[in-house]
């Protein structure tokens, strides 16, 4: 009896210590193969945010723009090389998506400690989580074990990433196509509690929309001229209240008709998400819990696992055969 009890305990210990089975993501995937991974990502992300706090929002957005095109496979990190066309030049990404250098820094440090083990896709997922937490938001266990793509798709980046001018039905459809619910959409949009957007993305909102607070529109018009091509790159905070703090002020802005993007304000405009926006605006704990759950869910979009894909040595290029 005692012997069988000891055998059972040994089997249980082996099960707990073993890496995740092929095809499954697990927070403990690198527990033995790269135990310092979490510390490296956290330390590098802290340095990046100390240098520029806005970078946290950029790293979260990088994760979103990666996962919505081919799944969470680091395809967005691939540079245009020779005849290879990546996703960086796609309309939603060009002169807009940032944070590539931070991922490079993390990858270089990880490769020095655990060469050929950790994917760029997992680094992007971890950096997004750490950025959220370091700016005052929730944390969560990130399922790991993704591998990196050998392909990218500029056409899918142009078609699958929602536009800042999208209406609610279009957003619900775009997120639904990725297996995300309307509730996930509304929670993930809360990432706009931090970061900035360019004038060209909200010009139509502040000059043409009627469901906008007049004082807020006037404030934004000061630095975003009406003429297209004039001040297109001028930045404004997505959250007029606490632009560098991850909180639920974004939803209070929506209730007050102070959403910066058209695609923000459609979440609170007499439609299906109004009630949830009101809940998030008064219940930060509910928002935090739903945001964390939705980030995990988004991170599970079509990952490459097992022997699919590769572990890139340099996140910007496919490994040479």
């Amino acid at each position: 009896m005692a012997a069988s009890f000891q055998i059972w305990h040994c089997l249980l210990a082996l099960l707990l210590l073993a890496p995740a089975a092929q095809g499954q993501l697990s927070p403990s995937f690198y527990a033995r193969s790269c135990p310092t991974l979490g510390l490296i990502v956290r330390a590098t992300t802290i340095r990046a945010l100390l240098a520029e706090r806005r970078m946290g929002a950029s790293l979260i957005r990088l994760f979103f723009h990666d996962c919505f095109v081919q799944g969470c496979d680091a395809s967005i990190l691939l540079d245009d090389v020779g005849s290879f066309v990546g996703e960086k030049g796609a309309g939603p990404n060009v002169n807009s998506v940032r944070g590539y250098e931070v991922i490079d820094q993390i990858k270089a440090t990880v490769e020095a400690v655990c060469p050929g083990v950790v994917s760029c896709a997992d680094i992007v997922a971890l950096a997004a989580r750490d950025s959220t937490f370091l700016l005052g938001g929730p944390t969560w266990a990130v399922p790991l074990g993704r591998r990196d793509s050998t392909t990218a798709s500029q056409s899918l980046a142009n078609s699958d990433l929602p536009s800042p001018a999208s209406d609610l039905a279009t957003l619900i459809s775009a997120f639904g196509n990725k297996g995300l619910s309307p509730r996930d959409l509304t929670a993930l949009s809360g990432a706009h509690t931090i970061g900035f957007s360019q004038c060209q993305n909200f010009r139509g909102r502040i000059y043409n929309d009627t469901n906008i607070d007049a004082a807020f529109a006037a404030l934004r018009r000061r630095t975003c001229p009406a003429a297209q091509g004039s001040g297109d790159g001028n930045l404004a905070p997505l959250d007029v209240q606490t632009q560098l703090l991850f909180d639920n002020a974004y939803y209070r802005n929506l209730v007050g008709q102070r959403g910066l993007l058209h695609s923000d304000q459609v979440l609170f405009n007499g439609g299906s998400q109004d009630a949830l926006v009101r809940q998030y605006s008064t219940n930060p704990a509910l928002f935090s819990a739903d945001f964390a759950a939705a980030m995990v869910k988004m991170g599970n979009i079509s990952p490459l696992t097992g022997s699919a894909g590769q572990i890139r040595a340099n996140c910007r290029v496919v490994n040479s055969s």
Side-chain angles (χ1 to χ4, degrees):
M1 184 74 175
S4 63
F5 188 73
Q6 286 180 327
I7 291 170
W8 183 85
H9 267 270
C10 288
L11 288 171
L12 180 62
L14 285 170
L15 179 66
L16 292 173
L17 289 171
Q22 282 198 352
Q24 287 187 323
L25 302 183
S26 166
S28 61
F29 188 86
Y30 300 110
R32 288 191 294 175
S33 58
C34 195
T36 58
L37 172 62
L39 292 174
I40 293 169
V41 175
R42 179 64 58 91
T44 310
T45 306
I46 288 172
R47 284 199 301 272
L49 267 61
L50 286 173
E52 184 193 13
R53 198 170 168 90
R54 176 189 166 207
M55 184 55 70
S58 298
L59 290 169
I60 297 170
R61 184 164 180 253
L62 181 65
F63 182 49
F64 168 64
H65 279 232
D66 181 35
C67 290
F68 260 58
V69 182
Q70 295 192 169
C72 309
D73 60 358
S75 59
I76 194 172
L77 304 180
L78 292 170
D79 285 340
D80 293 353
V81 178
S83 61
F84 182 92
V85 178
E87 297 163 16
K88 293 180 178 179
N93 296 335
V94 67
N95 299 321
S96 175
V97 171
R98 309 163 71 241
Y100 302 118
E101 294 79 9
V102 178
I103 302 302
D104 290 341
Q105 291 164 9
I106 297 171
K107 179 64 172 176
T109 306
V110 169
E111 284 297 303
V113 178
C114 317
V117 171
V118 180
S119 69
C120 301
D122 280 341
I123 289 172
V124 171
L126 287 167
R129 188 273 311 272
D130 285 1
S131 294
T132 303
F133 176 70
L134 291 168
L135 291 176
T139 189
W140 58 91
V142 178
L144 301 168
R146 301 169 191 82
R147 289 168 65 85
D148 300 322
S149 71
T150 57
T151 63
S153 177
Q154 188 172 117
S155 61
L156 284 178
N158 281 320
S159 64
D160 288 11
L161 288 164
S163 157
S166 297
D167 59 24
L168 182 57
T170 301
L171 291 172
I172 289 174
S173 176
F175 278 69
N177 289 340
K178 305 300 177 184
L180 299 170
S181 69
R183 189 181 186 98
D184 296 326
L185 155 67
T186 301
L188 290 169
S189 296
H192 286 178
T193 185
I194 51 174
F196 294 75
S197 187
Q198 298 178 21
C199 167
Q200 61 185 336
N201 294 325
F202 60 85
R203 178 180 282 121
R205 163 100 177 115
I206 63 173
Y207 285 102
N208 301 328
D209 286 3
T210 56
N211 59 340
I212 188 167
D213 177 79
F216 175 71
L219 172 66
R220 293 282 74 95
R221 288 172 182 170
R222 290 181 196 169
T223 54
C224 183
Q228 191 169 353
S230 176
D232 282 3
N234 293 353
L235 296 175
L238 287 158
D239 175 356
V240 70
Q241 296 188 66
T242 54
Q243 59 195 246
L244 295 174
L245 181 64
F246 198 103
D247 57 16
N248 68 328
Y250 168 79
Y251 299 101
R252 296 197 299 273
N253 293 334
L254 297 186
V255 172
Q257 296 191 321
R258 294 187 301 273
L260 183 65
L261 306 178
H262 180 84
S263 58
D264 289 325
Q265 195 60 56
V266 295
L267 298 176
F268 189 83
N269 191 39
S272 63
Q273 300 307 294
D274 281 22
L276 185 57
V277 168
R278 282 196 185 276
Q279 282 185 283
Y280 288 161
S281 74
T282 59
N283 190 336
L286 177 65
F287 163 54
S288 290
D290 281 5
F291 181 82
M295 286 289 277
V296 171
K297 195 171 173 182
M298 184 172 73
N300 284 328
I301 298 175
S302 306
L304 298 172
T305 58
S307 59
Q310 61 181 210
I311 303 297
R312 286 184 217 140
N314 176 346
C315 291
R316 293 174 179 265
V317 294
V318 174
N319 295 342
S320 55
S321 53

